[in-house]
Amino acid sequence: MSLSGSREKDKFLPFLCRYLSRKKVVMLILVSFALMAFLTSFFTTNREDASESTIFDHFNEAYNTSLQFSRKFNNSSSQATLSVCEENPIRHFSSPSLSTESAIFHSNFCQNFAFPPPPPGVRRRPGPRPCPVCYLPVEAAIASMPRVPSPSPVLNHLTYFHEESSTKTEPHEGSDFGGYPSLKQRNESFDIKESMTVHCGFVKGCRPGYKTGFDIDISDLVELEQFHDIIVASAIFGNYDVIQQPTKISDHAIKNIPFYMFIDEETENYMRNSSLLDYKMKVGLWRIIVVRNIPYTDARRNGKVPKLLLHRLFPNVKYSIWIDGKLKLVVDPYQLLERFLWRHNATFAISKHYRRFDVFEEAEANKAAGKYDNKSIDYQIDFYRSEGLTPYSETKLPIISDVPEGCVIIREHIPITNLFTCLWFNEVDRFTSRDQLSFAAVRDKIMGQVDWSVNMFMDCERRNFVIQAYHRDLLEHMPPPVPRMSNLKRNRDSIPVTKSEGGNLIGRNPVKKSPVKRGKGERRSRSRRHSKNPSTRDNLVF
C-alpha cells in the first residue's frame, strides 16, 4: 500500500497500532511464526537425513562387500554360521619416475655411511640412546617409492570370517570382538595357502567400525575408505597419553599423507574440556577419530585394534606407519619408508627390543614389572614352549631378536603382512595383551612356510626418528623441575651485601671451611693459630 500525504500517514499509524494490540491478532502472528519455525526445522532435518543417507550410500558403494554373503560355513562345535567378508582390491598407485642419473645418485647417497654404535649413556640421562641414521632427501625418498605393490608369497587372496553371534567353547581367553576361534581354527590359520579365510577381529560385520564393536561414525568411516598411498596412525585410549605433534614434516607429506589419531570417549571428553578439540576434529596434524563401544575394558588392549588391524580400518591404503600415542614423530614419513622398507625390499619393519632378545626373558621381565597377571603369562609361555618355541640362539640368524619394541610398525598392506598382523592380533586376543610375547611365535610359523621375513632394525635407529614422552599419569605425579645451578648462583649473587658498623658483612652466611689436618712438621705454634687480627676478618672472601 502506498500512502501519500502526512494526514493519511497520521491516520494509518494509530489504526495499525490498535489493530495489532488485539489478542487474536497477536496469537495469529505467534502461530504463524511457530509454523514457519516448524517447517524450517522439518526441511532441515530431512536435508540432514538425506545427506546422511547419501554418505551411507557412498560408504556402501566404496566398500566392495554387501550384507548378503554367498559362502557360509556351518561350525558344528559352536552351532553358528560363519560368513566370509571379501577383501577390497588395492588400487595400483603410480609414483614419480626417476632418471638414470638421479637413481644412481640416490643409490649412492648413503653408500659410505658407516653405522656407528649408539653413544654411551651419561649420568644425567642413563639408558639407551639414539644413533645416527642416513636418510635420503625427501624428494629422493618420494621418487624411490615402488610403482607396483610388492609380491605376496604364496598367499594372494585373504578373506575374513563374519559371525553375528559368537560363542566361547574352549577354556581360553578371547572376546566377542575376536570371535573366539577354536584351537583347530587357530592351527589351520597358520597353514599358508593361496586363498585363505581367517578370524581378524570385527567378526560381527564386514564393515569394520560399523556395528562391529570399535564403532566409528559413518562420516569418519567414509574418510577411512579414501585411497591413500601412505597414512600415519596412532591411538590414545583411557586418556593414557598426551597427544604429541609431529615435527620436521615436509610440505609434500602434510599435503598428501593424513595423520589419524583414534581416541575413545573418555579421551574425547578430556580433550574437549581442555579446549584441545573443537568441531573440526583436528589437533595440529592429527585428524581425530572417536571410537565408541570399545570391545575391551583394558585401554592397552583396545589400542592393539588399530595397531595391528590398520589394513581392516583402511582397506584402500598402500603403506602405513604406526606410532604409539606417547611418541613424537620427528622425521618425514617418506624418509622412514625409504630407509626401512624400500631400501631393503621389505614389506614389514619393526625395531628390536633395546635390551632383551629372548621371549622367555621378556616374560620374566613382564612378571617382575607387574605388566600382566603372572599366571596368564606362564600359561601363554608354556603353550608356546609346547608348540616348539625355544630360547633365542645364534642358530636363528639372520633373525637378530625374538622380542620387538612394538611401539613403531612400518608396513606395506599386502596379503601376507595382513595375515601376519591378523594372526598376531588373534594371539593378543586369545592370551595376554603383551604383544612382545606372541610376536616370535607367529613370525616363525609364517617364515617356516613362505619366503618372507621381517626387517628388525636397531632400537637406537628407532629413537632417531621418534621421541618418547611419559604417560599422563607419570607426568601428573612428577615433582616440579629443580632449578639449575646457574640460576641458584645468579640468585645468590643478587643478595645485597652491606657492612655493619663494626665492619662485618651482613646479608650472606659465611662459608665454613673444613679443618685441614697437618703433619708434625707442619704443625703451627699455638700462639700463631689463635692470633686474632681484626683487619683480616673484613677481607674474607665469601
Side-chain angles (χ1 to χ4, degrees):
M1 180 184 295
S2 60
L3 300 177
S4 59
S6 60
R7 184 178 299 175
E8 294 178 354
K9 291 181 180 180
D10 294 340
K11 290 181 180 180
F12 177 75
L13 292 177
F15 171 77
L16 183 62
C17 293
R18 286 196 303 271
Y19 187 77
L20 292 178
S21 62
R22 296 178 182 179
K23 294 183 179 181
K24 294 182 178 181
V25 176
V26 174
M27 291 298 297
L28 180 62
I29 294 175
L30 292 177
V31 169
S32 301
F33 277 113
L35 182 61
M36 292 175 59
F38 173 76
L39 294 175
T40 303
S41 62
F42 177 76
F43 286 114
T44 303
T45 304
N46 286 344
R47 191 179 301 112
E48 291 177 354
D49 292 341
S51 176
E52 184 175 354
S53 176
T54 303
I55 293 176
F56 188 73
D57 292 340
H58 175 72
F59 174 62
N60 283 336
E61 293 175 0
Y63 212 94
N64 194 27
T65 58
S66 64
L67 292 178
Q68 302 296 327
F69 302 97
S70 58
R71 290 191 294 162
K72 295 186 178 181
F73 301 90
N74 291 326
N75 189 349
S76 57
S77 60
S78 62
Q79 298 299 325
T81 301
L82 294 178
S83 303
V84 176
C85 299
E86 298 291 334
E87 187 181 47
N88 278 11
I90 297 296
R91 186 180 65 177
H92 288 195
F93 298 89
S94 60
S95 59
S97 58
L98 268 172
S99 63
T100 305
E101 295 181 358
S102 61
I104 296 175
F105 170 76
H106 295 155
S107 62
N108 296 331
F109 187 83
C110 296
Q111 184 176 6
N112 298 324
F113 177 78
F115 185 78
V122 295
R123 259 185 172 183
R124 295 182 180 178
R125 193 177 176 184
R129 308 282 289 160
C131 55
V133 178
C134 182
Y135 302 103
L136 289 187
V138 176
E139 294 78 8
I142 296 173
S144 62
M145 181 187 300
R147 300 183 182 181
V148 296
S150 301
S152 177
V154 181
L155 177 63
N156 294 323
H157 188 62
L158 183 64
T159 54
Y160 311 106
F161 282 123
H162 159 68
E163 188 176 9
E164 293 183 1
S165 60
S166 55
T167 306
K168 184 175 181 179
T169 59
E170 296 179 355
H172 60 75
E173 296 296 328
S175 65
D176 291 337
F177 180 78
Y180 299 110
S182 64
L183 185 61
K184 179 182 177 182
Q185 291 173 329
R186 173 190 178 272
N187 295 335
E188 290 176 349
S189 65
F190 288 105
D191 185 13
I192 312 300
K193 302 176 183 177
E194 184 177 356
S195 180
M196 296 181 62
T197 302
V198 298
H199 285 83
C200 195
F202 304 103
V203 296
K204 294 182 179 179
C206 282
R207 295 172 178 83
Y210 180 69
K211 297 181 180 180
T212 59
F214 206 85
D215 294 336
I216 300 171
D217 294 340
I218 291 180
S219 58
D220 291 333
L221 287 175
V222 173
E223 171 72 20
L224 303 187
E225 292 288 334
Q226 301 304 310
F227 289 87
H228 295 290
D229 280 347
I230 305 165
I231 63 163
V232 179
S234 184
I236 298 177
F237 291 102
N239 198 28
Y240 200 67
D241 294 302
V242 179
I243 189 169
Q244 306 291 325
Q245 286 301 325
T247 59
K248 301 179 182 179
I249 308 299
S250 64
D251 294 337
H252 191 275
I254 293 175
K255 181 180 179 181
N256 296 281
I257 299 178
F259 290 71
Y260 294 102
M261 174 69 69
F262 293 89
I263 65 173
D264 58 357
E265 293 177 280
E266 179 183 353
T267 309
E268 178 194 14
N269 294 334
Y270 176 85
M271 295 176 68
R272 290 192 184 278
N273 294 334
S274 305
S275 301
L276 296 175
L277 187 63
D278 57 8
Y279 69 96
K280 295 181 180 179
M281 302 301 290
K282 290 270 292 187
V283 179
L285 289 179
W286 294 107
R287 167 74 158 82
I288 305 299
I289 306 294
V290 180
V291 179
R292 311 183 194 281
N293 190 23
I294 51 179
Y296 305 104
T297 57
D298 182 10
R300 295 191 178 186
R301 196 186 289 268
N302 286 318
K304 301 299 187 295
V305 176
K307 176 180 179 178
L308 301 179
L309 304 183
L310 276 180
H311 62 282
R312 298 220 61 191
L313 292 167
F314 298 91
N316 299 312
V317 164
K318 189 175 182 183
Y319 297 97
S320 66
I321 299 174
W322 167 267
I323 60 173
D324 279 0
K326 63 184 177 182
L327 299 182
K328 177 181 179 180
L329 184 64
V330 294
V331 173
D332 192 82
Y334 288 107
Q335 294 176 304
L336 293 182
L337 286 163
E338 189 282 327
R339 171 63 183 84
F340 298 106
L341 285 191
W342 304 335
R343 191 181 301 180
H344 304 279
N345 293 323
T347 58
F348 195 97
I350 191 171
S351 65
K352 63 184 292 292
H353 196 274
Y354 70 95
R355 179 180 299 173
R356 292 178 292 275
F357 48 85
D358 182 77
V359 176
F360 300 93
E361 294 180 2
E362 178 67 16
E364 294 301 321
N366 275 258
K367 292 194 295 183
K371 295 295 184 67
Y372 208 84
D373 176 59
N374 290 359
K375 184 178 179 180
S376 300
I377 293 178
D378 290 336
Y379 175 77
Q380 182 176 6
I381 295 302
D382 291 341
F383 183 88
Y384 290 153
R385 185 184 286 112
S386 66
E387 286 193 325
L389 182 65
T390 59
Y392 180 82
S393 63
E394 293 182 355
T395 58
K396 287 193 173 184
L397 291 174
I399 297 175
I400 61 174
S401 176
D402 282 347
V403 182
E405 188 69 51
C407 53
V408 174
I409 296 177
I410 307 172
R411 57 178 290 202
E412 181 180 359
H413 292 199
I414 58 175
I416 193 65
T417 59
N418 296 344
L419 175 68
F420 171 66
T421 53
C422 281
L423 302 185
W424 191 7
F425 174 81
N426 291 343
E427 298 296 293
V428 172
D429 183 64
R430 185 184 188 93
F431 297 107
T432 68
S433 62
R434 307 302 299 172
D435 51 9
Q436 297 95 333
L437 302 180
S438 52
F439 169 81
V442 179
R443 178 204 61 188
D444 292 350
K445 286 178 178 293
I446 295 179
M447 290 180 59
Q449 297 190 49
V450 298
D451 184 16
W452 176 79
S453 63
V454 175
N455 178 23
M456 296 194 73
F457 51 92
M458 304 297 292
D459 180 71
C460 66
E461 295 178 286
R462 176 189 66 84
R463 295 176 185 271
N464 178 277
F465 62 84
V466 290
I467 298 176
Q468 184 167 325
Y470 292 101
H471 294 300
R472 184 183 299 279
D473 56 347
L474 295 177
L475 290 174
E476 292 176 351
H477 291 86
M478 278 186 176
V482 180
R484 296 181 179 179
M485 295 302 297
S486 59
N487 296 336
L488 292 175
K489 184 177 179 181
R490 190 180 301 112
N491 294 335
R492 292 189 59 179
D493 292 341
S494 63
I495 299 177
V497 180
T498 57
K499 285 188 177 183
S500 64
E501 295 180 356
N504 296 326
L505 297 178
I506 301 175
R508 289 182 181 174
N509 296 327
V511 179
K512 295 183 180 180
K513 295 184 178 180
S514 58
V516 180
K517 295 183 180 180
R518 304 178 182 274
K520 293 182 179 180
E522 298 177 357
R523 187 171 296 174
R524 298 180 181 181
S525 64
R526 182 179 182 87
S527 60
R528 185 177 179 182
R529 280 203 321 267
H530 291 277
S531 62
K532 298 181 180 180
N533 187 355
S535 62
T536 60
R537 278 187 298 182
D538 297 338
N539 297 328
L540 293 177
V541 179
F542 292 86

